[in-house]
Every structure is written in C-alpha cells, then in structure tokens.
C-alpha cells in the first residue's frame, strides 16, 4: 500500500529591517501553486519540491498536494497573509481522507506581524490536522535561525548544505527518504539542537569557501556514521531582531547521546572559526576606480547591503552613482524601479531616456540618480533558469527596459529579482562576459550566475537593510553576547545545546 503523504510549504526569509509588509500578492508574484498544479509545476525542477516529487515513487508515496507559496525575501509577513496561507494548506486536508504524513518546505527565518518564528507557527497550525504521531519531515534554508519551537514542531528537519543554494532538490529527496524511514517503524530519531552565538553575514557564509567549507566537511564526516540519520548546519540570517537569531546545528541520530555529541562538536567547530567570519569591504569610490583600472574583466562589484535575496528593495543607487561620476564604460547595473520602466516604455526602443532612477522604496540605499541615455531594449523580463539554481524554473522580472547611459547599461525591472542566473541579463540582450563591470544586488547568490566569467570581485561598503556591518542595526531582542557585536568569548565549557520540548 502506498503511503498517503501531503506535500506543500511556505517559504520566506524575512528581513525585519526592511520597509513595509510582505503581502499575499508578493507570494503570488514569486511562487504560488495549489493542488495538482503544484506537482506539475515543480516536477523535475531543482527545488525542494522537485526533489520530494522525484523521490516519491521510490519511497512508495502517493503525494497529496496542498499549496506552496514563496515570496522573494522581503519585509515582515502581514499576519492576514500568513493566516490565509496556513488556512489554505489546512483546507486541502478536508478532501484527503486518511493521511500518513507530510513533506513540507520551510525557510526557517520567516517572521510575521506579532509572530517571531513563523516557521514554528506553520508547523503548529499543520499539527491541527496532522497530530502526532503522524510524521512531518521538512526542509529549511541554510539561512534559517532555528528555534527550539521549530525543531519541536516537526519530526525531522533537513537543511540545505550549500550556499549559494544548489542542493535544494537533493535535500527535498533526503527529507522524503527520512519520512519513509520513519513510516517503516513507529520510532523517531533522537534530536539535538545547538545554537552558536555567532551572527555572520551572507558573503562570509559560502560553503565552498572557508570558513564554512571546513564546517560543512566536518558535518559530512559526522553524517557517514551509521547511528546518525542526518545533520544540518544553518549559519543564520542576521537581518531580524529575535531571540533565536544566530548559527544552529541540528543532528538526528538513533540515540540522544550521539545526537548531542555530534551537535556539540560541530557547534564548537563553528565557534573556533568565528574570526574568519569577519568581513572586509571597499568604499564605493575606491571600488569603482579599482574596477575601471583592472586589466582583466568582467569585474563584479558586489552590493551586499542591497541584497534582494536578503529582503532589500534592489533599487540601491550608491554604486550606480559612483559609476556615473567616474565615467565607467561597459557596466551593467540592475535596478528595480517600475516608475523608471514606465518612462522607458513611454519613450520606446531607440527613444531618449532622461529620468531619476532608483532609491524610491526607502532612504537607506542612496538617492535617485539622474540617468540620461537611450532605451536600447524593452522586454517582458521572463527567463528560464539555465544555471545551477532552480534549474528549469521560470522567473519573471515584470516589464523591463535597458537604458544605455554612455556605456553604463541600466537594466530596469518592474519586480525585484535575485541575481541567481545569468539569463536575468541575457534575456534583455546583455552578455555578462562582454562587460567590464557587473554590479550585483546580492551577497552570494550572484556567484551561481556570474562567478564563472568574473575575473575579479570587489565587495563594496554600501549602506542598506542588508549592510554587512551589523553595528548599523538597532537590535533589542537578539541574543547577547553574540559575536562579532560582542567579541568576548563565552564560557569554554558551554556546549550551547538547547532543550527541545
Ligand atoms: Zn538562504
């Protein structure tokens, strides 16, 4: 008999410092699928759902699709939006009859109005229709700020092992296999959660670079032990103000002692490398002149503070302004600015463009920059991912325009879009390898798109809601002490192990 397994999820990385609220429309604009459409849309894609769907046959699952909703990382989720999505998942159960378990896609850094830990809340809501001992296995993002409540809410959680994230499908399949294993017996693995008092920023979290590379290889060693079901490290997302901020280690094992020992040793491994998570940044003017002088190109100028994937508006102008002032040539900058797109559309292809661009959403990412040039291309901003991130998935940037301003090509988009795939600019006729300078609104996501052509990379010290210098933020509820805001070491005997209810 095939097991009847519900599938769905709610995925959002919430930037608690970003302006406004994330509403239902933001989920519909990015990823939203219900019922049979969920299976159709994600089958064969490099996503968690794609991996779960792919593994279902082998696991003996009949999948019962609920709904999946994801919004591009952004501000706090409006409470009614979260309620609607949870209700939507629960409502599907009415028609299912008997259900044996659930596969769920979560993020681990979601927050809604009045709810610090929205992922734990979603799990709590699902337990209304799927009470224990019916098993729930869920995936989470490498940027999760795991809490005791979230860990307690599911029987097993599997986190991405990569950043930039390229293993979502594998982790989805892994979650499905663990769910099948739990269904074969009534037993559940023992679990241990360790929290490390370290706040790190995305550009230092890449898993194929130090310091994270060594941490991940220690994790993979631990996962080869027969008594270990699986382990995850989440380095966390520092752009929120909550008590469960920080790095986490979560291990599932046959027995509590093994889970705790493994969690503790990985937590100590992360802590011992804390100074390697410190960051070095170049001021914008220096960065632009260095890029213009550099003998080999393209040079990637990374604007980490306006990291779309971290919840910022994607309309920061600090680097664009410096490029214009220095007279840079053959540079691409992507700016989310629907008003500027409208100006370009009115001018038409070949028409003259003369309007302020960017910095409209808030006053934390520079000022609007006057741009004068020619509209060289208009488009619908749709592209299919051909790289390693969400391969095969179609993203839409909304109506787009390219304005060429004396060799600076400003790609204006209607929607803020994470730079995970080179098709983002190719679909508008811009070939990355032919540029001298590529500006990316991202901390690390850009690597999946542009690293293979980049000859030099400069991290720029820009202001914004994802600023790399955490001293810029007014935290009230974060854990204290936390490195690097407090540089004092904790008690060496402390294991940071948490009690999961
Ligand atoms: Zn992430």
């Amino acid at each position: 008999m095939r097991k009847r397994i519900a599938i769905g999820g709610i995925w959002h990385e919430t930037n608690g410092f970003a302006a406004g609220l994330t509403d239902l429309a933001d989920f519909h604009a990015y990823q939203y699928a219900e019922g049979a459409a969920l299976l159709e849309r994600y089958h064969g894609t490099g996503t968690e759902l794609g991996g779960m769907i792919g593994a279902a046959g082998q696991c003996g699952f009949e999948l019962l699709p609920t709904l999946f909703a994801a919004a591009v990382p952004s501000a706090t989720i409006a409470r009614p939006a979260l309620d609607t999505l949870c209700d939507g998942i629960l409502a599907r159960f009415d028609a299912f009859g008997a259900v044996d378990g659930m596969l769920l896609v979560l993020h681990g850094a979601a927050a809604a109005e009045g709810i610090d830990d929205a992922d734990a809340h979603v799990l709590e809501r699902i337990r209304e229709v799927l009470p224990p001992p019916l098993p729930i296995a869920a995936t989470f993002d490498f940027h999760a700020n795991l809490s005791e409540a979230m860990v307690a809410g599911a029987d097993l959680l599997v986190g991405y092992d990569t950043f930039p994230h390229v293993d979502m499908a594998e982790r989805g399949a892994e979650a499905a296999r663990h769910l099948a294993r739990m269904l074969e017996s009534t037993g559940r693995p023992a679990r241990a959660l360790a929290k490390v008092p370290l706040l790190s920023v995305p550009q230092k979290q890449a898993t194929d670079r130090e310091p994270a590379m060594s941490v991940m290889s220690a994790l993979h060693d631990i996962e080869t032990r027969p008594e270990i079901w699986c382990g995850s490290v989440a380095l966390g997302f520092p752009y929120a103000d909550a008590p469960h901020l920080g790095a986490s280690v979560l291990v599932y094992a046959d027995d509590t002692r093994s889970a705790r020992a493994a969690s503790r040793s990985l937590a100590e491994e992360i802590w011992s490398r804390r100074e390697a998570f410190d960051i070095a940044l170049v001021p914008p003017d220096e960065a632009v002149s260095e890029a213009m002088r550099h003998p080999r190109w393209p040079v990637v100028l990374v604007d980490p503070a306006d990291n779309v994937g971290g919840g910022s508006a994607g309309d920061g102008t600090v680097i664009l302004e410096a490029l214009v002032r220095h007279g840079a040539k053959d540079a691409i900058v992507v700016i989310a600015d629907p008003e500027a797109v409208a100006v370009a559309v009115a001018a038409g292809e070949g028409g003259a463009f003369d309007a302020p661009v960017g910095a409209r959403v808030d006053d934390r990412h520079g000022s609007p920059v006057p741009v004068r040039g020619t509209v060289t291309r208009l488009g619908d901003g749709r592209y299919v991912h051909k790289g390693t991130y969400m391969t095969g998935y179609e993203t839409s940037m909304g109506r787009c325009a390219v304005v060429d301003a004396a060799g600076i090509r400003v790609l204006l988009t209607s929607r803020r879009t994470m730079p995970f795939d080179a098709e983002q600019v190719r679909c508008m006729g811009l070939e990355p390898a032919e540029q001298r300078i590529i500006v990316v609104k991202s901390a690390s996501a850009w690597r999946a798109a542009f690293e293979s052509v980049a000859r030099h990379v400069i991290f720029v010290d820009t202001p914004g809601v994802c600023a790399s210098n955490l001293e810029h933020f007014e935290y009230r509820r974060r854990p204290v002490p936390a490195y690097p805001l407090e540089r004092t070491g904790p008690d060496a005997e402390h294991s940071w192990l948490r009690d999961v209810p």
Side-chain angles (χ1 to χ4, degrees):
M1 261 279 281
R2 289 200 296 167
K3 298 286 187 188
R4 294 169 54 76
I5 304 300
I7 184 169
I10 298 173
W11 187 100
H12 189 246
E13 181 176 87
T14 305
N15 187 314
F17 301 113
L21 288 171
T22 296
D23 223 324
L24 217 47
D26 298 302
F27 286 92
H28 283 277
Y30 183 48
Q31 295 189 53
Y32 187 92
E34 277 187 77
L38 183 158
L39 301 180
E40 262 162 51
R41 181 164 176 189
Y42 288 93
H43 178 79
T45 60
T47 62
E48 298 93 313
L49 289 172
M52 290 168 177
I53 296 164
Q58 211 180 12
C59 292
F61 294 166
E62 176 192 354
L63 293 177
L64 309 170
T66 61
L67 74 80
F68 178 70
V72 174
S74 51
T76 302
I77 304 170
R79 180 63 197 267
L82 183 67
D83 290 343
T84 303
L85 295 175
C86 289
D87 292 344
I89 291 178
L90 267 52
R92 288 267 163 185
F93 279 78
D94 295 343
F96 288 163
V99 174
D100 297 304
M102 183 160 195
L103 285 168
L104 197 58
V105 176
L106 296 173
H107 185 287
E113 291 173 287
I115 302 175
D116 269 345
D117 188 346
D119 299 279
H121 177 84
V122 170
L123 285 163
E124 215 173 278
R125 291 291 321 273
I126 289 171
R127 282 301 191 196
E128 293 171 18
V129 289
L130 203 74
L134 294 171
I136 298 175
T139 53
F140 65 87
D141 189 282
F142 191 66
H143 294 106
N145 294 312
L146 292 182
S147 69
E148 290 96 318
M150 182 177 168
V151 174
D155 295 278
L156 190 131
L157 297 169
V158 184
Y160 309 166
D161 287 343
T162 57
F163 180 54
H165 309 311
V166 292
D167 66 332
M168 288 97 85
E170 285 168 60
R171 299 289 78 76
E174 187 184 350
R177 288 195 302 273
H178 290 305
L179 185 69
R181 186 173 169 186
M182 289 191 283
L183 286 161
E184 278 165 20
S185 67
T186 48
R188 295 285 177 272
R191 58 197 174 194
L193 170 68
K195 291 293 288 184
V196 186
L198 168 73
L199 303 179
S200 57
V201 298
Q203 67 266 36
K204 280 289 172 177
Q205 295 175 332
T207 50
D208 54 354
R209 305 267 160 96
E210 294 299 359
M213 191 165 78
S214 293
V215 174
M216 299 317 285
S217 98
L219 168 69
H220 295 134
D221 285 348
I222 281 172
E223 284 185 307
T224 62
R225 297 179 193 161
E227 71 278 15
I228 303 291
W229 284 46
C230 64
S232 301
V233 165
L235 285 179
F237 182 70
Y239 305 113
D241 192 10
H244 55 288
L245 236 54
S248 320
V249 179
L250 177 61
V251 177
Y252 295 88
D254 287 337
D255 61 285
T256 305
R257 247 188 80 201
S258 304
R260 289 174 69 92
S263 260
R264 179 178 174 152
S265 78
L266 283 167
E268 280 164 1
E269 175 80 28
I270 296 170
W271 182 249
S272 72
R273 294 175 182 274
R274 62 193 175 282
E275 285 175 8
F277 287 95
D278 290 348
I279 37 140
L281 299 163
V282 179
D285 276 324
E286 236 175 85
V288 167
S289 0
E290 187 184 332
M292 290 170 68
R293 279 196 320 265
H294 202 269
R296 298 174 68 214
W297 33 272
V299 175
V300 171
L301 293 181
V302 183
D303 185 354
D306 191 24
N307 177 5
V308 173
S312 79
D315 71 348
T317 54
V318 173
I319 298 179
L320 171 62
E321 191 276 332
L323 289 169
V324 171
R325 194 154 33 79
H326 287 254
K329 300 269 178 252
D330 298 324
I332 321 182
V333 191
V334 181
I335 302 270
D337 186 341
E339 289 178 51
V341 171
V343 172
V345 169
E349 278 184 6
F353 181 97
D354 185 358
V357 161
R360 291 187 202 265
V361 171
D362 59 42
D363 56 6
R364 300 175 83 147
H365 300 87
S367 313
V369 171
V371 169
R372 224 176 252 162
T374 307
V375 178
T376 55
R377 178 119 170 197
L378 297 172
D380 68 0
R382 285 179 185 280
Y383 59 93
V384 172
H385 290 236
K386 292 187 180 158
T388 49
Y389 182 81
M390 290 177 60
T391 317
Y393 194 83
E394 187 183 90
T395 288
S396 167
M397 303 186 281
R399 198 98 174 96
C400 289
V402 177
V403 173
D404 192 317
I408 300 171
R409 287 140 200 154
V410 186
L411 167 47
L412 300 165
T413 69
S414 294
R415 290 186 190 147
R416 34 198 292 280
T417 308
M418 300 182 275
F420 272 113
D421 202 288
E423 292 304 309
Q424 182 189 16
V425 296
R426 276 204 193 110
C427 78
M428 290 297 289
L430 301 169
E431 182 51 46
E434 291 167 6
Q435 311 301 319
R436 283 186 175 270
I437 297 173
I438 302 172
V439 179
V440 291
K441 304 292 194 174
S442 137
S444 288
W446 64 272
R447 292 182 46 205
F450 303 118
E451 187 164 50
S452 58
V453 298
R455 292 293 170 265
H456 186 50
V457 178
I458 305 171
F459 286 89
V460 189
D461 190 0
T462 47
V465 297
C466 293
S468 298
N469 181 355
L470 299 179
E471 304 273 0
H472 288 306
F473 301 104
E474 275 180 48
Y475 292 102
R476 288 189 191 84
R477 303 173 53 239
R478 69 170 173 88
V480 178
Y483 190 90
L485 293 168
E486 285 79 33
R487 301 191 72 99
T488 49
D491 174 0
E493 292 301 303
H494 203 296
S495 75
W496 303 299
L497 279 169
R498 298 295 175 89
D499 289 319
V500 176

